[in-house]
Amino acid sequence: MRLDNLLAQEKISRKAMKQALLKKEILVDGGPATSLAQNVDTGLQELIFKDRKIQGYEHAYLMLHKPNGVVTASKDKELPTVMDLLPQHLQSDQLYAIGRLDRDTTGLLLLTDNGPLGFQLLHPQFHVDKTYQVEVNGPLSSDHIQQFKDGIVFLDGTSCKPAQLEILSSSPSLSRATITISEGKFHQVKKMFLSVGVKVTALKRVQFGDFTLDLGLAEGQYRPLNQEELKIIKNHLTKSG
C-alpha cells in the first residue's frame, strides 16, 4: 500500500504527512521514508510516524500453480478463473494476479492485494525476467538460440528484447526448451516461436523474477509465500522508496 494511503487511514492529514517526511519523522524499518508514494506493508516492515508505531494493514501474498483451462481474471461469465481456485475466505475484490498467463498456459502465478507491488514488478524499468518451459511442434537449433539472443522480430514487425533460449531436446516433430524473457508483450512467447517457424504446443512458467514455482504444488494448488519469498517481497518494497 502507498505510504500516504496508509497514513490517511490513520486519519493523518496530508499536511502533517509532508511535514513529517521533510523532518524525517516517518521511519520505515528504522530509516527515514523517502517518498509518500513508496510502497509499505506493516506486516513485513516497521512503520513509525512521529514516534508512534503504525499497525496499518498486512497484505496477502500467495503462490498459485495455474492449471490449463483457467483464465487469469477475477471474474468471468463463462470460464473458471484463478480466483475460483481459492477458498472463499481468501477471495477478495482487492486480490489480483501479478501478470497474466494465457488460458492454456500453466505454471507460476503470484497473487496479492498489494496493488503498487504488482505495478512495480511488471514495470519495464525493473527488468523482471520470466522463464518458461516450452514444447513446440518442430525442430530447434543453435540458429534459433542466436535469433532469440539477437531479439526476435514478429511477423508484424514488432521487435522483442534479447531472450535466452536453452534447447533441452529437438526432433522434427517435438522439441523442448526453456526460454527467459524480460518483457511481457501479448502472447509473446508463442509469437516468438511462430516467428522462427514452429508452434508452441505446451507452455509453463517456472520462474518470475526471484520467485520459482514450488514443485510441491500440484496444478490448481496454492500456498502463502514462505519466509524466504517474503524477504524478496520486502526487498521490492525497499526499492519502491
Side-chain angles (χ1 to χ4, degrees):
M1 180 180 290
R2 279 176 54 123
L3 176 58
D4 53 359
N5 291 338
L6 180 58
L7 294 177
Q9 289 184 357
E10 298 294 312
K11 310 301 182 184
I12 298 171
S13 71
R14 186 79 181 178
K15 181 179 179 180
M17 293 181 206
K18 290 181 178 179
Q19 291 176 342
L21 183 72
L22 289 173
K23 294 179 180 179
K24 301 186 184 303
E25 293 176 329
I26 306 176
L27 303 179
V28 181
D29 279 343
T34 57
S35 167
L36 291 176
Q38 75 183 80
N39 192 10
V40 294
D41 182 344
T42 54
L44 300 175
Q45 299 166 301
E46 183 181 63
L47 176 61
I48 303 294
F49 181 86
K50 291 187 173 182
D51 298 324
R52 168 190 165 197
K53 186 174 182 179
I54 305 295
Q55 297 296 339
Y57 181 84
E58 184 174 344
H59 287 287
Y61 304 99
L62 307 174
M63 177 183 292
L64 174 74
H65 188 167
K66 180 190 171 298
N68 191 0
V70 174
V71 295
T72 308
S74 298
K75 297 179 181 178
D76 191 278
K77 293 181 180 180
E78 299 178 358
L79 300 170
T81 74
V82 293
M83 297 304 168
D84 294 330
L85 300 173
L86 302 177
Q88 192 66 39
H89 73 275
L90 285 178
Q91 295 183 21
S92 162
D93 291 339
Q94 303 301 316
L95 196 68
Y96 74 102
I98 300 177
R100 300 180 66 86
L101 290 178
D102 296 340
R103 179 183 173 189
D104 58 353
T105 299
T106 64
L108 172 60
L109 200 61
L110 299 176
L111 305 174
T112 185
D113 57 358
N114 187 339
L117 176 71
F119 177 81
Q120 180 181 343
L121 288 174
L122 296 172
H123 197 284
Q125 79 178 76
F126 292 100
H127 306 292
V128 176
D129 289 341
K130 290 149 300 249
T131 300
Y132 297 81
Q133 293 176 348
V134 60
E135 294 183 2
V136 297
N137 66 351
L140 294 172
S141 69
S142 57
D143 289 341
H144 294 127
I145 294 175
Q146 189 60 48
Q147 285 179 273
F148 277 73
K149 185 177 181 180
D150 292 340
I152 292 293
V153 179
F154 291 162
L155 300 178
D156 65 1
T158 301
S159 297
C160 296
K161 293 181 179 179
Q164 181 180 343
L165 177 66
E166 180 183 355
I167 300 171
L168 304 178
S169 64
S170 180
S171 74
S173 60
L174 174 64
S175 298
R176 294 184 175 89
T178 62
I179 177 175
T180 300
I181 61 175
S182 62
E183 51 189 346
K185 293 181 171 64
F186 185 63
H187 293 320
Q188 179 171 343
V189 173
K190 295 175 181 177
K191 289 181 178 179
M192 292 173 82
F193 282 97
L194 279 177
S195 298
V196 299
V198 291
K199 182 179 179 180
V200 171
T201 56
L203 188 62
K204 179 178 185 176
R205 184 160 69 190
V206 293
Q207 192 155 0
F208 182 92
D210 294 322
F211 299 95
T212 300
L213 179 63
D214 185 341
L215 298 180
L217 284 178
E219 288 191 9
Q221 290 186 334
Y222 76 96
R223 65 162 173 77
L225 296 191
N226 60 35
Q227 289 303 310
E228 288 302 312
E229 292 158 345
L230 289 175
K231 288 180 182 178
I232 299 171
I233 294 291
K234 189 173 179 178
N235 184 49
H236 282 285
L237 295 177
T238 301
K239 289 179 183 178
S240 75

